[in-house]
Amino acid sequence: MSYTQAAEYVNSKIDRAPDVAVVLGTGMGDLADALDNKIVIPYGEIPGFPPIDGNYHKCRLVVGRLEGASVAFMQGRLHYYEGYTMAETAFMIHMLKAMGIETVILTNASGALNDEYAPGDIVIIRDHIKLCAESPLRGKNFDELGERFFDMTNAYDKGLIRLCEKCADGLGMSLPKGVYAYMAGPQFETPAEIRALKILGADLVGMSTVPEVIAAAHCGVRILALSGVSNMAAGIEGGGFNREAIDNAEPVIREKLIGLLKCIINKL
Ligand code: HPA
């Protein structure tokens, strides 16, 4: 299996399997700077890893120490809109599982449909809606990872959500919990699509994370997913794609996330 080959390679470069992995979303790659004693492994060096064609993310795995724990930060993820297959977008989760990691924190940037949210907010993803594109697990089942049919009720781990809320309280932040709608992209949504998603119960929209959550639920990896609102969604007041607004939101999100991540990792 290419993910086991990848996991063996990464584990051969580090002393012991990390306690937790954090997948860094768009604009969040610099959070890996917080690690001490870093070991950097470019994805392109990992055997079995889907090919990386110099996309705009720093595509590398950075392992180091944070708050006394060994942490693997994944700088850059594989998106369907980049041309990866759905199965490839879940590859990282399979690799992390094979490395022995049981807890993964996923971060992403999203557009907000819920008008109580604002750019710069962090929202805990409590559930998702995925209407488009196939499952990352379509095709022959990986029996060694999990069963063919599996439950999604607890895909977003309630214990990790409670821990995150406790940390947020301690930091004087109040984090809403929302439903994230997956859209394949790369185009942002139309206002009509956003209205439809809102009727269906979505609070956020974005182009990542959900394939990883599905793979994690299948193979029993605990997930906490945190979304940074980079913009209001299309058709919502002030919403749609706006580079300047997104660039302004990113540092605010990074600042909040690093405090939260440190607290969560310290208490895991
Ligand atoms: N739509 C889809 N993906 C996104 C958005 C959005 O508004 N903002 C950040 N990622």
Side-chain angles (χ1 to χ4, degrees):
M1 272 324 153
S2 65
Y3 67 84
T4 47
Q5 203 191 354
E8 278 164 22
Y9 178 82
V10 174
N11 277 346
S12 76
K13 299 269 167 193
I14 56 183
D15 301 343
R16 64 180 175 94
D19 303 304
V20 55
V22 183
V23 179
L24 297 170
T26 308
M28 300 170 188
D30 292 349
L31 293 183
D33 293 346
L35 291 176
D36 292 322
N37 305 333
K38 291 191 247 316
I39 295 172
V40 175
I41 308 171
Y43 296 164
E45 195 181 280
I46 304 174
F49 209 96
I52 301 297
D53 69 348
N55 70 20
Y56 56 90
H57 295 297
K58 278 186 203 158
C59 286
R60 48 193 216 164
L61 190 163
V62 186
V63 182
R65 309 283 306 175
L66 188 71
E67 296 294 311
S70 171
V71 185
F73 274 80
M74 306 294 297
Q75 280 183 321
R77 52 155 60 88
L78 309 178
H79 298 93
Y80 184 70
Y81 65 75
E82 292 172 295
Y84 293 105
T85 63
M86 267 289 154
E88 285 171 331
T89 64
F91 177 86
M92 273 184 195
I93 297 295
H94 291 158
M95 181 187 81
L96 295 170
K97 170 79 181 180
M99 284 169 61
I101 297 174
E102 300 292 341
T103 304
V104 175
I105 303 175
L106 301 172
T107 66
N108 66 36
S110 63
L113 287 71
N114 187 325
D115 49 24
E116 291 180 7
Y117 303 169
D121 284 356
I122 307 275
V123 180
I124 302 173
I125 301 180
R126 65 174 175 81
D127 206 345
H128 73 233
I129 299 171
K130 177 172 174 294
L131 298 174
C132 53
E134 77 268 17
S135 167
L137 301 178
R138 178 174 165 267
K140 190 173 174 335
N141 186 48
F142 290 112
D143 291 332
E144 70 285 11
L145 289 175
E147 294 187 20
R148 168 79 299 180
F149 301 107
F150 57 99
D151 190 47
M152 289 295 290
T153 315
N154 295 308
Y156 297 87
D157 188 89
K158 296 197 173 52
L160 290 175
I161 292 179
R162 272 195 299 276
L163 172 58
C164 179
E165 288 178 312
K166 211 162 130 191
C167 283
D169 267 359
L171 293 164
M173 294 181 207
S174 113
L175 301 189
K177 293 195 284 286
V179 173
Y180 176 93
Y182 172 82
M183 295 294 269
Q187 74 285 359
F188 273 31
E189 301 68 36
T190 63
E193 286 168 336
I194 293 299
R195 279 197 303 279
L197 291 173
K198 208 168 167 176
I199 291 167
L200 294 177
D203 299 296
L204 300 164
V205 63
M207 307 173 195
S208 69
T209 307
V210 166
E212 295 152 14
V213 171
I214 294 170
H218 176 249
C219 67
V221 165
R222 297 198 306 158
I223 289 287
L224 173 69
L226 299 175
S227 190
V229 175
S230 62
N231 57 282
M232 300 310 287
I236 311 274
E237 203 186 327
F241 182 82
N242 173 340
R243 175 47 62 201
E244 199 187 328
I246 292 174
D247 288 347
N248 288 338
E250 280 179 357
V252 180
I253 293 167
R254 274 199 296 270
E255 176 84 25
K256 291 181 187 167
L257 261 183
I258 194 65
L260 265 177
L261 288 175
K262 281 184 178 166
C263 176
I264 294 165
I265 288 167
N266 175 268
K267 292 190 186 338
L268 271 176

